[in-house]
Amino acid sequence: MDTARNTALEAWMTEHGYSSNSLAEAVNRSMELLTGRPGGLDGSSVRAWKAGRVKWPKSATRKALEDIAGLPATALGFVPRGRTPSAPASPQQEDPDMKRRTLVGGVAAAAAAAAAAPGIASPRRIGISDVDRLRKRFSEIVASDHRHGGQLGIEQRAAALAEEALNLQNAGSATQRVRSNLYASAAAFRSSAMWAAIDGRRYDVAKAHMREAQALAEMSGDQAIKFRIWSHAGTMYRHMGRPADALAANDVARNLHLTRRDSLFASLGLARQGAILGTAQDRTATRRAFEQAQDAMLRADPADYRPVWMLAFYDQAELDSLALSAHLALGDYPTAEYYAHRCLSALRPHMVRSRAIATTRLAHAQLAQGAADAATATAMAVSANAATQHARVARMLQEFGAALRATAPGSSTAQTWTEHTASWRMAA
């Protein structure tokens, strides 16, 4: 049996800093996003690819790997069964965006041709069942985000689903209500792609998703998705250290009439305003914003209809998480610690990403109060996956390590932290 090494895959892994173990873990996570179940690969699986012992992985594995690489399997040196190897396209020649546009264009063209073909079938009728199917996919995206957060695979999947929703506009006839819902679905997917990019600190990409999401939301007329997009924009600018822009974007969300109709939306807008004001070092306004956010939450009618993305994350724990962020930025560390404990005690089990962020912020608050041992124990409770795969958590933990070494240089606590982070890197 010919077992020529897969040098194309080896070169790609070297270029992108993947070991056999870390690529196996990345593919397993990508398979979970695709299928709902994590893959079962390990480092030996990837070594078999590199050695040429496996020339054509199973279909789900290939798709997961292609999503990570942004390249077809053949460009990574794999050879379909029954074919002889041919020179693959180089990574420089393969444009992932062009690939996506070609696939999307092909789907749209096929749908249009099927609708227009005379004597074969009448044009397809696009209905609420199509919208419901997209909403189910959106719920899956939201769930993946809360488990993993910030991953490129989530961003790419959400963007592709936005294109799928738009393709349906041209795939047949539909009522105006259905068309508005399709635009709202496309805007919702695009806003999830935007959020994944923000969470992964890919801000230029997030801005591009934001512009598309805003245009789609306007065509849909959906107030809730407009709120989500502008509220995300405020959070993005807050993370970028631009509080004036953050307040302006968040004010667009807060001024939508939806916030006057539903106190829960008003509460979220006020809580995010409080987080921005904390970054801007306005103590009085921060305190007032969170008092108003709490009052609005208490007034909210739990029986009101709300979209899945709102129900999935905004509750007392999220309000406390935003208060934690604000008081940490203000340097009010005892209050930040108070809100951290409140948040962590109330977080729902599916909020995996939020738990890692709140735990890391708690460690910062404890260290700033001189409790180095307690802070280090808290930081060590963050999972290795979040510490190495989530850009925001990884950066906060790096900052924690730097602050710990500055606070207690050469101490046994600092040494313990150094050894612990080394184990994270080995696991990755």
Side-chain angles (χ1 to χ4, degrees):
M1 177 180 176
D2 180 11
T3 57
R5 293 193 68 81
N6 187 338
T7 55
L9 178 63
E10 288 180 317
W12 180 86
M13 289 174 61
T14 300
E15 179 185 354
H16 293 83
Y18 279 104
S19 66
S20 295
N21 288 336
S22 64
L23 181 57
E25 290 184 5
V27 173
N28 287 340
R29 288 192 298 273
S30 182
M31 288 178 71
E32 183 176 6
L33 294 176
L34 288 169
T35 67
R37 292 179 296 178
L41 303 180
D42 56 21
S44 64
S45 307
V46 177
R47 287 189 287 274
W49 297 348
K50 293 194 294 184
R53 294 193 297 273
V54 175
K55 294 184 177 298
W56 193 242
K58 294 179 180 179
S59 59
T61 304
R62 288 199 313 274
K63 181 65 172 67
L65 180 60
E66 288 173 342
D67 285 350
I68 293 167
L71 297 168
T74 51
L76 295 171
F78 293 105
V79 182
R81 294 182 182 85
R83 297 187 189 177
T84 56
S86 58
S90 70
Q92 290 79 9
Q93 293 171 321
E94 188 73 31
D95 182 347
D97 288 335
M98 180 63 74
K99 176 190 169 191
R100 178 180 63 79
R101 288 193 296 270
T102 300
L103 289 171
V104 168
V107 171
I120 297 177
S122 59
R124 181 186 169 193
R125 182 74 172 174
I126 309 301
I128 289 297
S129 61
D130 296 286
V131 174
D132 289 341
R133 178 180 56 79
L134 289 169
R135 286 173 176 162
K136 182 176 183 297
R137 303 293 296 278
F138 180 64
S139 296
E140 294 168 359
I141 288 287
V142 170
S144 294
D145 174 68
H146 288 308
R147 284 197 305 271
H148 306 289
Q151 298 298 311
L152 181 61
I154 297 174
E155 177 194 334
Q156 292 172 333
R157 188 172 167 215
L161 286 166
E163 297 286 0
E164 182 178 325
L166 287 177
N167 285 338
L168 281 173
Q169 294 282 7
N170 299 314
S173 60
T175 65
Q176 184 56 46
R177 174 172 171 253
V178 168
R179 293 201 181 281
S180 294
N181 275 283
L182 289 175
Y183 281 125
S185 292
F189 285 125
R190 189 61 71 173
S191 69
S192 284
M194 172 191 175
W195 178 250
I198 293 169
D199 214 24
R201 300 182 62 82
R202 299 181 294 275
Y203 297 127
D204 287 343
V205 177
K207 290 177 192 173
H209 288 308
M210 177 182 71
R211 288 189 287 270
E212 292 194 45
Q214 287 167 341
L216 291 166
E218 287 300 322
M219 288 189 282
S220 76
D222 188 307
Q223 287 265 309
I225 199 59
K226 287 182 186 180
F227 179 97
R228 188 185 198 220
I229 294 161
W230 282 104
S231 187
H232 279 350
T235 301
M236 176 181 71
Y237 288 123
R238 172 167 64 89
H239 289 325
M240 294 172 69
R242 294 165 55 178
D245 291 334
L247 284 171
N250 195 58
D251 280 346
V252 176
R254 292 181 56 233
N255 288 329
L256 291 167
H257 69 73
L258 172 68
T259 62
R260 294 187 289 278
R261 189 176 73 240
D262 189 333
S263 293
L264 197 65
F265 279 90
S267 176
L268 176 55
L270 284 161
R272 282 182 166 163
Q273 182 187 35
I276 296 165
L277 290 166
T279 303
Q281 300 298 300
D282 191 332
R283 291 176 181 272
T284 301
T286 298
R287 184 179 64 253
R288 183 168 59 248
F290 280 109
E291 288 173 352
Q292 293 172 341
Q294 188 69 69
D295 289 344
M297 176 173 280
L298 294 174
R299 292 196 310 271
D301 185 347
D304 283 353
Y305 167 80
R306 296 181 180 99
V308 64
W309 60 265
M310 183 70 150
L311 296 173
F313 94 102
Y314 190 59
D315 55 11
Q316 186 65 53
E318 177 63 18
L319 196 160
D320 291 337
S321 176
L322 289 165
L324 158 62
S325 174
H327 287 91
L328 199 60
L330 287 168
D332 184 354
Y333 302 117
T335 304
E337 182 175 2
Y338 165 77
Y339 280 113
H341 287 299
R342 274 181 49 127
C343 170
L344 289 167
S345 68
L347 274 172
R348 288 174 277 173
H350 72 274
M351 303 292 282
V352 177
R353 181 265 316 279
S354 295
R355 183 170 298 279
I357 291 172
T359 302
T360 305
R361 285 176 173 157
L362 172 58
H364 275 274
Q366 291 171 325
L367 182 61
Q369 295 176 80
D373 290 346
T376 301
T378 298
M380 288 170 64
V382 177
S383 71
N385 182 62
T388 57
Q389 301 299 321
H390 191 288
R392 189 144 53 108
V393 175
R395 175 163 177 158
M396 287 193 294
L397 287 170
Q398 289 167 3
E399 291 169 349
F400 172 83
L404 176 62
R405 288 187 290 273
T407 301
S411 67
S412 60
T413 303
Q415 181 61 30
T416 298
W417 175 251
T418 299
E419 292 171 357
H420 186 73
T421 55
S423 71
W424 277 341
R425 288 191 293 273
M426 291 176 62

